[in-house]
Amino acid sequence: MTETTAAPGADRTPLLSVRGVTVRFGGVVALDDVSFDVQRGQICGLIGPNGAGKTTLFNCMSRLYAYQAGDILLEGRSITQEPTHRIAVLGLGRTFQNLAMFQRMTVTDNVMVGAHARSSAGFVASALRLPSVRAEEQRLRERARQILADLSLSAHADRLAGDLPFAIQKRVELARALAAEPALLMLDEPAAGLNHEELQALSGLIRDVRDRQRITVLLVEHHMSLVMGLSDHIVALNFGRKIAEGSPAHIQNHPDVIEAYLGAGAHA
């Protein structure tokens, strides 16, 4: 695990700030005044039992859900009023619990879908296939090929995504998220459905992505060994409220976290 420290005089503004976010679905409070920061370069784990509010928070950050109170800031700038289609441009990339790929498109084309978030071509230029558009398409394709190489996916570049094994499809989804050049990569249960060997490979891959591309990672995951081994900082939720945050060692021994996972009396 790598501790990230800022150089003297460096900008210490958190990359992500969640400030008092509250979400209600009718009479159900899904998130209750949740606040925390994620520092640049960190791998931050977001944990909690089923129903704790983790994916709800991800959906708020992606602007898929509205929140009734609070604010979310990326690099000090509120995203609360931003439309959903602007989120990738602002620097948020995401994978999902359930694979959301174009099954009948090639791996390269799936990754290029993510790269198009950084496209500067307008509608008219794209429709007319102007030389500038063709040049940008080539740039995006080269970007996709480089990401595939970095994630050891080059051998699958021309295969249909739907024909690949599940673990490889998960890696393709990660490649697509990286193609948008995010400042913050949100991984929603990336280890779901993986076996032990695949889990070990995923751990190394996430760390390599953070170090190689200097990306900050927010990780939602139920595999505690993965979270504890990777994270610099961990935030724990239960019933929509933050119950603890700190280093992995602090979280592992926190009585409220133990009770949330094991039940009352577990730490007695």
Side-chain angles (χ1 to χ4, degrees):
M1 182 177 63
T2 303
E3 292 288 346
T4 302
T5 57
D11 183 3
R12 296 179 181 273
T13 302
L15 180 70
L16 173 73
S17 292
V18 177
R19 292 284 173 263
V21 170
T22 298
V23 176
R24 300 183 186 91
F25 299 114
V28 177
V29 180
L31 290 173
D32 186 3
D33 194 28
V34 173
S35 297
F36 64 90
D37 292 334
V38 179
Q39 303 298 328
R40 300 169 193 273
Q42 279 187 336
I43 297 176
C44 179
L46 184 62
I47 67 169
N50 288 330
K54 305 180 298 297
T55 296
T56 296
L57 181 58
F58 263 32
N59 286 338
C60 289
M61 294 170 60
S62 302
R63 301 300 294 123
L64 298 175
Y65 289 172
Y67 29 99
Q68 286 72 47
D71 201 359
I72 298 174
L73 298 93
L74 184 67
E75 299 187 286
R77 172 183 174 180
S78 174
I79 67 170
T80 297
Q81 300 303 320
E82 295 288 346
T84 304
H85 71 268
R86 285 272 303 159
I87 293 302
V89 177
L90 293 175
L92 290 174
R94 179 182 178 179
T95 65
F96 292 83
Q97 286 184 19
N98 300 313
L99 286 171
M101 289 194 303
F102 299 99
Q103 300 288 309
R104 306 317 297 169
M105 287 171 55
T106 68
V107 167
T108 298
D109 287 341
N110 265 279
V111 176
M112 286 185 67
V113 169
H116 274 287
R118 294 294 179 181
S119 173
S120 59
F123 175 78
V124 174
S126 297
L128 296 175
R129 297 295 297 166
L130 297 180
S132 60
V133 172
R134 294 196 296 271
E136 183 168 61
E137 282 285 323
Q138 184 59 34
R139 179 183 65 80
L140 295 181
R141 188 169 295 276
E142 289 301 321
R143 164 82 177 150
R145 286 172 177 163
Q146 182 58 57
I147 293 171
L148 293 177
D150 290 343
L151 272 59
S152 301
L153 288 168
S154 297
H156 307 289
D158 297 324
R159 295 186 62 185
L160 297 180
D163 293 343
L164 297 171
F166 180 75
I168 301 298
Q169 290 190 44
K170 298 275 280 192
R171 193 170 288 218
V172 173
E173 187 178 39
L174 174 58
R176 184 178 61 189
L178 290 173
E181 302 178 30
L184 177 68
L185 178 63
M186 303 185 298
L187 302 178
D188 195 353
E189 298 195 30
L194 302 185
N195 60 36
H196 179 72
E197 289 184 2
E198 292 165 345
L199 194 65
Q200 292 296 109
L202 176 66
S203 177
L205 180 63
I206 294 172
R207 185 178 287 109
D208 183 64
V209 164
R210 189 274 301 272
D211 294 343
R212 183 197 299 261
Q213 302 197 28
R214 299 181 181 276
I215 290 176
T216 304
V217 177
L218 182 59
L219 170 69
V220 166
E221 186 51 66
H222 283 292
H223 286 268
M224 286 299 100
S225 60
L226 180 70
V227 175
M228 295 299 168
L230 271 177
S231 300
D232 303 301
H233 188 78
I234 297 175
V235 177
L237 303 179
N238 194 27
F239 294 114
R241 303 193 69 180
K242 185 180 78 175
I243 57 173
E245 69 173 306
S247 68
H250 173 73
I251 293 298
Q252 282 179 310
N253 295 292
H254 197 287
D256 291 342
V257 177
I258 295 171
E259 181 173 324
Y261 276 95
L262 300 179
H267 56 277

